[in-house]
Amino acid sequence: MYRSFTIKNFRCFDELTVEGMGRINLIAGKNNVGKTALLEALWVHHGKVNPDLCSRIESFRGLEQLNPERFLANIFYSFDRRLSIVLSAEGSWQDTPRDLTMWIEDPSSFEIPLRDTEGSHLDTQTSASRILRSSDVVVMEYSTASEVPIRSKGRLVERQPDHRTREVGIEMFYQEGQPSNGHPTGVLLTGRRPSVSNEDVKRFSDLEVQNSQNSIVEILQEVEPKLKRLAVVSIGVTPTIYAETGIGRLIPLQLLGDGMSRIFSFALAIASAPGGIVLVDEIENGIHHSVMEKVWKAIGAFARSYDVQLFATTHSYECISAAYRAFEADEEDELRLFRIEKNGQGEYKAVKFDRERLKSVLDFNMEVI
């Protein structure tokens, strides 16, 4: 579990340190202070040396086509690709701290082995992808105090999975060292994703195979007591989730409202990431403030049962207040609020509110957003 996290030269941050993290972490602050960037940095760090995560966070922002001439410039502070990004974490792990360093390298400055060697892996380019005209390479190096560092290299490619689809992404073509077995999963849920995505359908199907789907239903029943069950239904081309609510037929889950779909996605993400992290951007979207306290109680209990650490951004005072009420009697004191602030010199800091300090702020209606 993350306890502190430091970002250098990533997105808007030249440097930011967040200390004192708990199981449930709310990230607040004004617009354009880097709340989403903090979630992205945590997700990239948790993926160790997976370069495709860098292209996916661009896609989540709506930047579908990576620019070959300015490869990954958007993720570097001040768009300066001469810098190195450093993401460093300390936590409840045995091998702490854990450091991820990323930089852009000209491939002419290194040699790629012609065959696999012990401890390294070389992927060949598939026939379904082609290297774009950029010659730049992203290098990622992950190190801990007790393990041999892992290094990967990724290049920009265009893939064509079928005759109708083309996509741009980053393909790992070189890896040195092997990640530890059983590395926990990190899931990032953005505000741009569909209300019920294909990934949601797959995750729910996996739970059905394990006969564990009732746990998801129980969380949704906190908001809609009439809900009886959920099912994967294939009508047309794409399977989706249908709900039984006692009206005599199943209906698409989306018809129960955006709030139900959002809570469904949160719960599925937690169930699919045991021992890992779940990151949610704008967690209050689509959820009425009157049910937020119930939602927080259910999600908190679910996160504990799967040993998942949750990070979520919010613009809502009601969401923060509901979270405090939900965890007010929590013996483990798992709730933290961090407000990201930027001063006149452009420097960022994260102000922590534990339960006692948050109570004082809410009692006097002080600003925390």
Side-chain angles (χ1 to χ4, degrees), residues 109-126:
S109 66
F110 64 88
E111 295 182 358
I112 300 174
L114 296 177
R115 64 183 64 186
D116 289 357
T117 58
E118 184 177 356
S120 69
H121 175 67
L122 179 62
D123 286 333
T124 57
Q125 183 186 356
T126 67

Side-chain angles (χ1 to χ4, degrees), residues 120-321:
S120 69
H121 175 67
L122 179 62
D123 286 333
T124 57
Q125 183 186 356
T126 67
S127 59
S129 65
R130 65 182 181 90
I131 303 173
L132 298 185
R133 65 183 180 274
S134 170
S135 61
D136 296 331
V137 165
V138 60
V139 184
M140 306 178 76
E141 184 173 273
Y142 187 87
S143 62
T144 69
S146 60
E147 295 181 350
V148 175
I150 310 163
R151 179 178 288 195
S152 73
K153 300 178 189 290
R155 60 191 168 201
L156 193 62
V157 300
E158 183 182 73
R159 306 184 184 97
Q160 191 171 0
D162 54 59
H163 69 280
R164 296 173 300 176
T165 306
R166 288 191 178 186
E167 58 187 26
V168 173
I170 301 175
E171 180 178 80
M172 184 194 304
F173 67 91
Y174 174 75
Q175 180 175 310
E176 183 179 52
Q178 295 295 329
S180 301
N181 294 329
H183 182 63
T185 304
V187 178
L188 174 61
L189 302 179
T190 69
R192 293 178 178 267
R193 71 195 307 274
S195 55
V196 176
S197 69
N198 293 336
E199 189 67 24
D200 289 333
V201 176
K202 180 182 181 302
R203 288 172 180 154
F204 186 75
S205 298
D206 291 342
L207 287 181
E208 281 197 305
V209 170
Q210 301 166 25
N211 200 27
S212 301
Q213 71 275 15
N214 287 341
S215 59
I216 305 296
V217 175
E218 290 169 2
I219 288 181
L220 295 183
Q221 286 172 335
E222 293 289 337
V223 179
E224 179 48 81
K226 294 181 180 179
L227 179 68
K228 305 299 181 183
R229 67 183 179 96
L230 298 170
V232 178
V233 176
S234 183
I235 298 179
V237 178
T238 306
T240 189
I241 304 298
Y242 275 61
E244 180 184 350
T245 59
I247 64 172
R249 59 156 292 169
L250 299 181
I251 61 174
L253 180 63
Q254 294 94 319
L255 294 184
L256 298 181
D258 287 344
M260 288 287 282
S261 298
R262 290 277 285 173
I263 298 166
F264 177 71
S265 295
F266 304 160
L268 284 174
I270 291 170
S272 66
I277 61 173
V278 170
L279 308 119
V280 183
D281 201 18
E282 299 179 0
I283 192 168
E284 74 276 6
N285 280 1
I287 304 176
H288 195 269
H289 66 86
S290 63
V291 299
M292 276 302 308
E293 184 176 347
K294 287 184 178 179
V295 170
W296 274 121
K297 286 182 178 179
I299 292 297
F302 209 50
R304 281 191 291 270
S305 68
Y306 281 93
D307 191 25
V308 164
Q309 189 173 20
L310 178 68
F311 296 86
T313 68
T314 182
H315 292 102
S316 169
Y317 187 90
E318 290 82 4
C319 176
I320 295 171
S321 179

Side-chain angles (χ1 to χ4, degrees), residues 17-65:
T17 295
V18 184
E19 296 181 309
M21 295 169 166
R23 181 175 300 280
I24 308 295
N25 302 275
L26 275 172
I27 315 298
K30 297 180 179 179
N31 289 333
N32 198 32
V33 295
K35 298 186 295 295
T36 302
L38 172 57
L39 298 188
E40 292 172 337
L42 282 162
W43 194 52
V44 170
H45 178 272
H46 200 266
K48 290 192 175 180
V49 291
N50 183 356
D52 195 47
L53 297 185
C54 299
S55 63
R56 291 174 66 184
I57 61 175
E58 292 290 84
S59 177
F60 292 157
R61 295 264 189 164
L63 304 171
E64 298 295 343
Q65 296 294 321

